[in-house]
Amino acid sequence: MAQLSLKNLMNLPELHIAIFAFLLNFIWELFQMPLFGDFSHVPYYNVILHCTRATLGDVVISLIAFWGACLLSRSRDWVITGNKFSITYFLVIGIAITLAFELLATGPLNRWHYGELMPIIPWFGIGLSPVAQWFLLPVLQLWFVKRQILGGMQ
């Protein structure tokens, strides 16, 4: 039975996916807050809590997308190898989850609504910013994860 060392734990792709998902998405969540409604009179502490919860959701989406790409590509090393199909799986799964969650959260669940500044995607009726978040940040996230893991193996 293989012994689980600290170095092996530190090189788990899931750990790096979660760390970089949190760091990148937290910043995005803070910057996109003015695009959502009803936050102008909310105390700053509550805004930070809201952004933290949203970011933790983004981390979960990233991990689900990562594991989905692992299943479809039958490899956990696709981040390192840069397999284009696996990267596409990762992005498509993440975007699909984001679209579904935004539709539910702004519709039947009534979790939040968009402010006047939020550009809305026509046919879907959801905000451009949350969708753009899943087109831009995951690519940067995967780049950071690959560099981190490869640097840790040297």
Side-chain angles (χ1 to χ4, degrees):
M1 185 169 161
Q3 196 172 21
L4 203 54
S5 69
L6 182 58
K7 183 177 180 180
N8 289 342
L9 284 174
M10 296 303 293
N11 284 323
L12 286 175
E14 291 88 344
L15 175 65
H16 299 290
I17 289 287
I19 289 170
F20 288 111
F22 186 88
L23 294 173
L24 293 169
N25 284 288
F26 186 72
I27 294 166
W28 186 282
E29 294 292 347
L30 287 173
F31 278 110
Q32 79 175 350
M33 284 308 295
L35 302 176
F36 288 85
D38 293 338
F39 282 99
S40 58
H41 300 351
V42 175
Y44 189 68
Y45 174 77
N46 291 343
V47 171
I48 295 297
L49 285 177
H50 178 79
C51 288
T52 302
R53 282 192 299 269
T55 301
L56 292 174
D58 296 326
V59 170
V60 170
I61 293 170
S62 288
L63 288 170
I64 291 170
F66 172 77
W67 289 322
C70 289
L71 286 172
L72 293 169
S73 63
R74 298 180 182 167
S75 170
R76 287 181 67 244
D77 295 329
W78 64 264
V79 175
I80 298 168
T81 62
N83 181 314
K84 290 180 183 175
F85 289 112
S86 300
I87 292 169
T88 302
Y89 299 147
F90 177 74
L91 295 173
V92 169
I93 292 168
I95 290 166
I97 294 170
T98 299
L99 289 173
F101 195 74
E102 285 293 317
L103 285 169
L104 288 170
T106 58
L109 298 178
N110 198 26
R111 302 272 307 183
W112 60 76
H113 66 276
Y114 304 126
E116 294 177 14
L117 297 175
M118 176 70 79
I120 303 297
I121 299 173
W123 304 290
F124 292 104
I126 61 174
L128 177 62
S129 181
V131 176
Q133 182 175 355
W134 252 93
F135 275 102
L136 302 174
L137 295 188
V139 174
L140 186 57
Q141 177 186 354
L142 292 176
W143 181 77
F144 277 126
V145 169
K146 180 177 180 177
R147 287 185 50 86
Q148 183 67 24
I149 291 172
L150 290 177
M153 290 180 161
Q154 294 176 355

